[in-house]
Amino acid sequence: MTEHETNPSTDAPTPETGRPYRSGFVAVVGRPNVGKSTLINALIGTQIAIASSRPETTRKAIRGILTTPDAQLVLVDTPGIHRPRTLLGQRLNDIVDESLSEVDEVAFLLPADQEIGPGDRRILSRLRSDFAVKKDDGSWSWRIPLVAIVTKIDELSREQLVSKLIEINEFADFSDIVPVSALAHDNLDEVRKVLIEHTPEGPQMYPEEQITEERPEETIAELIRGAFLEQLDDELPHSLAVVVDSIEYPQDNESGEAYAGKADVHVSIYVERDSQKPIIIGRGASNLTAVKKKLRTPVNRIVGQKARLDLHVKVAKGWQSDPKKLERLGF
């Protein structure tokens, strides 16, 4: 975890609202492809996590920082809890373990347009073992608030949504249940309000303008992977990994002083097999060109000046099951 900057004055009621300042860590959990990244991006107001229709898109515990006049929430976007098929899958589950170990509240995402299934029950069981105690009457007593966020409500009619909310209410002892459509930005304010209400009183931990704990290199790498997810869709090898090797700012070789010019962002894109390289590159490097064009503005913004993306596609055979290669690729 990075060093937190604290604001000692925030224990007192905030002048803007007269309410005590609240702050804490919120784990956003749910099975793969329920809209965790989409919700976090919508709450923060900008893209910090990859949102894709492909399951198991998130591979890191992205921390988005939501700051309001009377609260600061650190939203931890956990990779979907699932049965691991590779060493990478096990590492993703380990990331979930680490993410859950320090949270003050859990937001459990359940899609309105799908049945509650084995994956949801597995997550609930996991959360109970971490955060709840079974009482003599068979009910559960939670040590931290568990908030159900019912996503994708734009897919249902009003009657269907009422039935779904009743079903979710019977599924677990939730502290609150909030329906939302992050894509349509429907009921987002209510989600913010409920999450803040269940966060403990505490000081501001990060500067107001900071929106993520990720380093620029990690944010750019995730954006590039997300751009390839969109560009290639079903063609994309799931074994794609992106590493930003360096960001070089223009400077005078002798004096070391910076000067106006483009920063060079050197990026390695890894696949598992030689046959996957042409898929990533595209005919006449068309895919590389499209990704560079799409990310020009966001990368410039992250780097703080105009930047040039230097993309190289490499093969790391069987990296998803090789401990040394996984470590080199940041897992």
Side-chain angles (χ1 to χ4, degrees):
M1 195 190 302
T2 61
E3 288 294 313
H4 298 170
E5 293 200 18
T6 58
N7 179 351
S9 66
T10 48
D11 290 330
T14 51
E16 296 94 328
T17 64
R19 293 190 292 270
Y21 200 89
R22 296 180 178 277
S23 66
F25 289 80
V26 182
V28 182
V29 305
R31 54 190 159 92
N33 201 25
V34 294
K36 296 186 292 292
S37 301
T38 302
L39 178 68
I40 287 181
N41 290 337
L43 288 170
I44 301 295
T46 188
Q47 182 175 358
I48 59 162
I50 298 178
S52 164
S53 58
R54 281 174 75 100
E56 296 174 33
T57 301
T58 300
R59 288 184 181 163
K60 307 246 174 128
I62 308 268
R63 296 171 188 269
I65 302 164
L66 170 63
T67 305
T68 72
D70 58 357
Q72 188 170 72
L73 304 184
V74 183
L75 304 166
V76 185
D77 182 11
T78 55
I81 301 171
H82 60 286
R83 293 191 188 282
R85 293 187 303 274
T86 61
L87 185 56
L88 171 65
Q90 183 55 56
R91 292 277 168 93
L92 296 187
N93 280 356
D94 292 344
I95 290 170
V96 174
D97 286 344
E98 199 180 314
S99 307
L100 289 176
S101 66
E102 57 186 23
V103 300
D104 303 291
E105 176 183 0
V106 174
F108 189 167
L109 271 60
L110 294 153
D113 62 339
Q114 295 170 37
E115 293 297 313
I116 290 174
D120 301 310
R121 284 188 277 275
R122 191 161 61 244
I123 292 168
L124 179 62
S125 171
R126 168 64 195 284
L127 293 172
R128 281 173 172 162
S129 69
D130 284 354
F131 301 116
V133 176
K134 196 167 192 178
K135 296 192 286 193
D136 292 339
D137 63 1
S139 63
W140 294 83
S141 173
W142 290 88
R143 291 197 303 276
I144 64 172
L146 177 71
V147 176
I149 297 182
V150 187
T151 61
K152 308 182 183 181
I153 60 171
D154 48 309
E155 304 284 334
L156 302 188
S157 69
R158 187 169 182 79
E159 292 75 18
Q160 289 171 319
L161 179 58
V162 169
S163 299
K164 174 57 72 172
L165 293 178
I166 292 169
E167 180 192 358
I168 287 171
N169 187 50
E170 292 169 352
F171 174 54
D173 299 322
F174 290 109
S175 309
D176 247 311
I177 300 175
V178 194
V180 67
S181 171
L183 274 180
H185 285 246
D186 184 9
N187 219 30
L188 273 176
D189 286 342
E190 184 65 16
V191 173
R192 285 191 194 95
K193 178 170 155 288
V194 168
L195 292 179
I196 288 169
E197 280 172 0
H198 289 291
T199 306
E201 291 181 23
Q204 183 177 322
M205 298 179 286
Y206 297 87
E208 200 170 313
E209 67 279 359
Q210 189 172 340
I211 59 168
T212 182
E213 246 195 6
E214 299 287 288
R215 296 183 305 119
E217 288 86 351
E218 292 169 339
T219 305
I220 292 169
E222 283 293 281
L223 284 176
I224 291 170
R225 201 164 63 84
F228 276 109
L229 278 168
E230 280 187 31
Q231 179 72 18
L232 296 172
D233 198 25
D234 291 340
E235 278 188 283
L236 183 84
H238 193 68
S239 55
L240 182 79
V242 180
V243 176
V244 173
D245 300 310
S246 64
I247 301 175
E248 294 175 2
Y249 293 89
Q251 61 177 37
D252 185 271
N253 287 335
E254 290 183 12
S255 67
E257 284 186 20
Y259 60 84
K262 287 189 175 181
D264 284 310
V265 182
H266 298 283
V267 181
S268 295
I269 298 161
Y270 292 93
V271 290
E272 285 194 306
R273 295 191 297 277
D274 289 308
S275 60
Q276 294 170 337
K277 277 183 76 171
I279 297 172
I280 300 296
I281 294 167
R283 189 185 295 275
S286 58
N287 292 331
L288 297 183
T289 303
V291 166
K292 285 182 187 179
K293 189 174 177 183
K294 180 175 184 184
L295 296 182
R296 186 179 297 139
T297 302
V299 169
N300 290 351
R301 198 179 296 130
I302 293 165
V303 170
Q305 65 186 74
K306 287 190 174 178
R308 185 186 299 108
L309 272 179
D310 180 32
L311 306 178
H312 291 273
V313 184
K314 303 174 181 180
V315 177
K317 286 190 166 61
W319 70 263
Q320 291 190 89
S321 298
D322 184 320
K324 285 185 179 172
K325 287 175 183 170
L326 275 172
E327 202 165 309
R328 202 170 76 236
L329 297 176
F331 296 104

